[in-house]
Amino acid sequence: MNLSLVSIFIFLRLFGLGRSDNCVDCPNYGTILTCDPQTCDRNLLNGYWAGNVTDGGEILVGLCPLGYCLYNESGQFIQIPHGATQTMGDFLCNDTRRMGIICGQCQPGNAPAINSGTAGYASDCVPCDGQSSKINWVYYLLVIYVPLLVVFLVIIVFNIRLTTGPMNSIILFAQVISSTLDINQQGAAPLNVVYGKGTTAFEKSYQIPYNLFNLNLFGNLFPPFCLHENMSSSDVLVLQYAEGFFPVLIIVVILLLLRCQRCLKVSVRLPSFCGPHHRKYRIGTSLVQAFAAFVLLSYNRLCETTAYLLTSTALLNQSLKAEEGRIFFQGDYRVWDSYYVIHYKLPAYLVTVLLIAAPIALFHYPVKWVERLVSKVGCLRNVYPTASIAILLDTFQGCFKDNRRYFAGLYLALRLLLFYAYLLAIFETLLVQQVIFIVYIFLLTVLKPYKDNRLNILDVAIFTNMALINILSWYTVETAIQTDLASLSACIIIESILVFLPMVYFVAILLWYCTSCHEGASEKMKKW
């Protein structure tokens, strides 16, 4: 009798029947989520989220913003043990004080930190209550807006020009590498193969200095803090619009003060990379130079914020087919959720109109319709005369040949194109970015838009560098699982060197400029 029972038990086990454990459903989702049929443990690829959208529904997987989900810094996979007391989604979100689909919400008692992360979005959730948030508003103004005001005043006083010359391409690289050309690819690129637990420190080593050109000045140097316990990650992004438009507010205030105080007309020296070193301009001209500098810096920040608000991601089923779309940085919202569309997408679309208008204005010189508009509005005729419009355009276009001045608009449009390529899936984004870089390299090589050929060579080198980084990023993401560690490590090391090369050049430019201030500055600067 006992022998018969044993035989029946073995028969049932051989055919998968009568299992005593909970490993009834153990599917694989390609290489993203795998399941060990023996232990029932699951392995999730870094940079992804997995969980149930509805109670008892099918498990879905999708990309997770870096900092939202659990991340294994010492390996490529996160092991999710079988029999855990919490759901898979909770397991991935708890360590970051998050919850919900794609860990898109902060847990009760927590709120998104206004100054967390180096990628331009609120990645950290920190404890937050009503009492501390009131004090943090003052802290926020001191940490974010006071440095912006100081930098702005420095640009006015010293008439620093950032829009043309050798700094133009350096700023472009800094803005792109700290936003759309993310070599970590939201955690999907296995940088930890080389840097291990130092991956975060490596990212900060280049993100923090390059982010200075995205108006992300000193916020990341302070401990993360919240502003309100009911704030969401999307609210923090919308708040960044105020930071982007803040320089415009300062310009308007100063212009109004100058109109009331005519006696404040003064002359300043204007160091320029594109012309004589010493020129005397009135304070109005200095303001135009400062406004142009902040258009360049704010434009990328506004593009970044807009792209983050509009970015969505697909949650995949077991067949790796898109099951439904979700807002990437606020996963509890579907793509066309009415609340999200009204409160977040609509402002993003309005800002998009302004972002499109800016490069279009630089495609022409002079801007006849602007001149006609200003001349018809009496209150603007004295505050912002047509001559200032010409000076503003010249600050962007001064280094280009007369028949190539439209390249200033192309450089501004490049930032917009890269950010809207970011809205695509990760591999499509890398492909579109590569096409954009190749097109710009071709245009620079053939048309040679700069008056000084050294600037043409510099810009070709910068674009080539970005194209190489983009190719290496694609390689590390696409072959992260199949490639041997030696090849992957070599690829990441080369990519890291390419990221820091422009920084070395930038430091050399600063040292050269400081030296030139004491050794015949006028003659040296004329050469540029």
Side-chain angles (χ1 to χ4, degrees), residues 74-211:
S74 58
Q76 294 177 254
F77 290 91
I78 302 163
Q79 187 176 38
I80 304 174
H82 173 62
T85 57
Q86 53 193 343
T87 65
M88 189 182 305
D90 291 339
F91 177 83
L92 296 171
C93 301
N94 277 347
D95 282 4
T96 56
R97 297 194 182 98
R98 287 186 167 273
M99 56 184 284
I101 302 171
I102 323 179
C103 303
Q105 288 184 332
C106 291
Q107 294 175 358
N110 295 272
I114 200 71
N115 62 327
S116 66
T118 55
Y121 60 87
S123 59
D124 295 340
C125 287
V126 294
C128 193
D129 56 56
Q131 189 63 32
S132 63
S133 61
K134 292 179 182 179
I135 301 174
N136 287 347
W137 275 101
V138 178
Y139 191 42
Y140 168 67
L141 295 176
L142 293 175
V143 170
I144 303 298
Y145 285 95
V146 171
L148 282 175
L149 180 60
V150 171
V151 171
F152 183 77
L153 293 177
V154 168
I155 290 177
I156 292 178
V157 171
F158 294 98
N159 243 320
I160 299 173
R161 175 179 282 187
L162 301 177
T163 50
T164 54
M167 282 300 297
N168 185 35
S169 56
I170 299 298
I171 292 175
L172 173 64
F173 179 85
Q175 291 178 336
V176 171
I177 200 66
S178 59
S179 53
T180 55
L181 195 58
D182 174 24
I183 66 173
N184 199 4
Q185 296 299 324
Q186 292 295 335
L191 300 184
N192 51 18
V193 169
V194 174
Y195 299 104
K197 294 184 178 180
T199 300
T200 302
F202 163 73
E203 290 176 330
K204 288 185 176 181
S205 67
Y206 73 87
Q207 287 276 7
I208 289 178
Y210 282 144
N211 257 321

Side-chain angles (χ1 to χ4, degrees), residues 357-376:
I360 291 176
L362 291 176
F363 288 151
H364 303 282
Y365 180 84
V367 187
K368 297 296 184 183
W369 63 270
V370 173
E371 293 179 0
R372 288 194 296 268
L373 176 64
V374 172
S375 63
K376 291 179 180 179

Side-chain angles (χ1 to χ4, degrees), residues 50 140-141 218 264 370 374 430 443 509 522-523:
Y140 168 67
L141 295 176
F218 306 113
L264 291 180
V370 173
V374 172
L430 294 171
L443 293 175
I509 285 286
S522 179
E523 294 302 320

Side-chain angles (χ1 to χ4, degrees), residues 412-429:
L412 211 57
L414 170 68
R415 295 165 169 86
L416 188 62
L417 291 174
L418 290 175
F419 274 108
Y420 279 89
Y422 184 83
L423 301 180
L424 303 172
I426 182 169
F427 294 112
E428 285 122 353
T429 295

Side-chain angles (χ1 to χ4, degrees), residues 62 128 188 200 267 288 402 513:
C128 193
T200 302
S267 296
V288 172
D402 289 340
Y513 180 77

